[in-house]
Amino acid sequence: MTLAGKQVLFISYNGMLDPLGQSQVIPYLKELSKLGVEFTLLSYEREHAYTDEGRSRSDALSAELLEFGIEWHRLRYHKWPSLPATAFDVAAGVRYAARMIRRRQIAMVHARSHIPALIALRLKRRLGTRMIFDVRGLMAEEYIDAGHWKSNSAAARLTKRMEASALDAADGVVTLTDALWAEMLRWPSLQTGAKAHETIPCCIDLETFRFDPQARLARRAELGIENRFVLVYSGSIGGWYMTDEMAAFFAALRKKRPAAFFLWLTQGDQAIIERSMNAAGVAAEHYAVRSVLPATVPSWLSASDAGIAFYQPGTSRLGTSPVKVNEYLACGLPVVVNTGVGDMDQFITGERVGALVPEFKPSEYAKAAEIMAESAAETRLRSREVAEKFFDVRRVGAERYARLYERVLRQR
């Protein structure tokens, strides 16, 4: 079956001006458009998209997307009060999307995550469109694990009911990990018949994320660290990211590599990192915190020797495909991650690209630190090869989406 001329509405509750939209939506749509898919993209944009700068960026992005035949539409995201604001966004999305479906004769809605899945569910019931539920994680469990919701709260119960209804109605399902799909197959909402399914991890544009030796020299000179062993963390801090534990691991690493240096790349509160490093007994000269533009992240990763990502353990971690870890690998870095994060346990040990921490305690930090200190240099080439094999947005991500599209659109 050819995908040429197939009309697909893609709905994202993440904005296209945000880093996640830039890295985890747009590259896939561009690649699939090369196969002939004609996309209408509907996203919910945050407040910054409606400033003068945001409008200018939106105009430029609209023109860029049109070169690929992607027609981009935007709705304003509402945050507070939480449940009424989300209900308003859903109602607005259903009304707006229904008009586009009729105008463009769209046959399928690709819903990226839970809120778009609720919109797609209502559209399917009203207009008969086919539906892909792209499950980006366990939404209720993520909020519960992060301490935002109680397990028996109205928000959690409502989300689980909506999730079950969307899964039951979906013509196709995407999960980020095999671990989550194995768990979901036991759920009653997936017992009504076989679903078209693909596991598609968070993939990376490997042309953007690659080791750059010149950038390595330049960034190291900028930091004034010369030949020190650099551990890097890239991304948000707080919430389910274990800042204290990552600082404690670094302290253990310095016992193996006394000249080690910790580079934090985050737009989060630097004071949180300072408190964590002080508590771990790490002096200021052994780390740096940088708030950097997303486009410059590959150059900072090139300056590093290993990457780290510790997540708060919980049920929701079954569905986690850590973008940051895949970016580390693409730039040739071995990684250290705690166990229970998506498919990472089997992946890291099977492909020999780093170390696992089963418990957040000094003895486990010491074991993992020894592995990282001794194997980082020899792992660089293997890490890149693994990223090419498992996380290439073109050969893995787009190809699997295309395969799922063909199966869903073929259904009668």
Side-chain angles (χ1 to χ4, degrees):
M1 176 183 179
T2 177
L3 291 175
K6 299 300 182 183
Q7 296 282 343
V8 175
L9 170 61
F10 189 104
I11 306 177
S12 171
Y13 207 46
N14 297 106
M16 293 304 104
L17 297 188
D18 298 334
L20 194 62
Q22 294 279 314
S23 67
Q24 292 299 308
V25 175
I26 292 173
Y28 294 99
L29 300 192
K30 287 181 176 179
E31 291 302 316
L32 288 166
S33 72
K34 294 175 185 177
L35 300 177
V37 180
E38 297 182 12
F39 281 107
T40 302
L41 170 61
L42 176 62
S43 66
Y44 287 77
E45 300 299 320
R46 274 54 178 173
E47 287 300 319
H48 62 80
Y50 298 94
T51 63
D52 289 342
E53 179 189 0
R55 290 188 180 92
S56 177
R57 289 181 61 200
S58 295
D59 290 343
L61 181 56
S62 288
E64 177 187 330
L65 292 173
L66 276 176
E67 293 179 4
F68 291 85
I70 302 168
E71 184 181 294
W72 179 32
H73 298 259
R74 302 175 287 284
L75 292 175
R76 188 184 293 267
Y77 167 80
H78 297 89
K79 184 176 182 179
W80 187 259
S82 181
L83 284 177
T86 302
F88 179 89
D89 284 348
V90 168
V94 171
R95 288 193 301 270
Y96 197 95
R99 291 196 298 269
M100 290 189 291
I101 288 170
R102 294 188 180 102
R103 177 171 63 85
R104 300 200 65 178
Q105 297 184 319
I106 291 169
M108 184 176 77
V109 178
H110 182 157
R112 186 185 189 277
S113 79
H114 284 61
I115 302 305
L118 180 55
I119 297 171
L121 175 62
R122 293 185 179 178
L123 292 169
K124 179 171 185 174
R125 289 172 174 171
R126 181 184 300 181
L127 302 174
T129 46
R130 292 169 190 171
M131 168 185 171
I132 289 177
F133 185 2
D134 197 335
V135 182
R136 310 308 296 179
L138 298 175
M139 182 177 176
E141 285 81 357
E142 286 180 354
Y143 277 87
I144 292 167
D145 288 346
H148 299 313
W149 291 351
K150 299 292 186 181
S151 59
N152 62 346
S153 66
R157 295 197 308 271
L158 184 62
T159 300
K160 293 305 291 182
R161 283 202 299 270
M162 180 277 291
E163 179 184 75
S165 296
L167 286 170
D168 181 55
D171 301 286
V173 178
V174 175
T175 56
L176 295 174
T177 68
D178 289 331
L180 177 57
W181 184 240
E183 172 65 22
M184 289 171 64
L185 284 175
R186 295 197 285 266
W187 295 0
S189 53
L190 287 171
Q191 303 305 311
T192 56
K195 297 283 185 185
H197 167 260
E198 290 285 347
T199 294
I200 306 176
C202 290
C203 292
I204 304 301
D205 183 347
L206 295 180
E207 295 303 312
T208 300
F209 283 88
R210 60 170 56 249
F211 176 68
D212 183 341
Q214 296 304 314
R216 179 179 176 85
L217 293 174
R219 292 302 189 190
R220 282 177 163 257
E222 185 176 337
L223 290 167
I225 55 176
E226 298 180 347
N227 296 320
R228 297 179 72 172
F229 181 93
V230 177
L231 178 70
V232 67
Y233 174 79
S234 174
S236 301
I237 55 175
W240 51 65
Y241 301 105
M242 309 295 282
T243 310
D244 289 346
E245 288 76 7
M246 288 189 280
F249 172 82
F250 177 70
L253 178 64
R254 291 198 69 244
K255 293 179 181 179
K256 306 293 182 181
R257 291 260 188 147
F261 186 87
F262 201 156
L263 175 61
W264 298 83
L265 304 176
T266 183
Q267 296 180 4
D269 185 356
Q270 182 170 334
I272 295 175
I273 295 170
E274 292 172 351
R275 287 195 294 270
S276 294
M277 297 300 268
N278 286 339
V282 179
E285 61 265 27
H286 300 307
Y287 70 94
V289 184
R290 292 289 184 272
S291 176
V292 303
L293 294 173
T296 68
V297 169
S299 67
W300 293 101
L301 297 185
S302 293
S304 306
D305 299 292
I308 187 171
F310 285 173
Y311 294 82
Q312 180 176 312
T315 304
S316 63
R317 296 281 70 80
L318 280 175
T320 299
S321 173
V323 178
K324 59 175 62 55
V325 172
N326 303 342
E327 291 173 349
Y328 298 158
L329 293 167
C331 290
L333 304 182
V335 296
V336 57
V337 182
N338 58 300
T339 56
V341 179
D343 296 331
M344 286 288 110
D345 291 15
Q346 298 84 352
F347 176 76
I348 289 176
T349 55
E351 300 297 329
R352 298 179 297 116
V353 288
L356 291 168
V357 173
E359 296 180 83
F360 295 126
K361 61 183 186 180
S363 59
E364 297 298 341
Y365 296 152
K367 293 175 187 176
E370 185 169 0
I371 293 172
M372 300 300 283
E374 293 178 355
S375 64
E378 66 186 48
T379 309
R380 186 174 289 276
L381 180 59
R382 186 163 63 247
S383 293
R384 175 66 186 189
E385 291 173 345
V386 165
E388 292 173 349
K389 180 179 178 182
F390 294 102
F391 304 116
D392 185 348
V393 72
R394 296 170 181 85
R395 292 189 299 166
V396 178
E399 286 190 9
R400 292 185 186 179
Y401 273 123
R403 192 162 63 204
L404 182 62
Y405 277 21
E406 290 175 353
R407 291 174 64 192
V408 171
L409 290 168
R410 194 185 296 122
Q411 294 174 8
R412 295 189 182 277

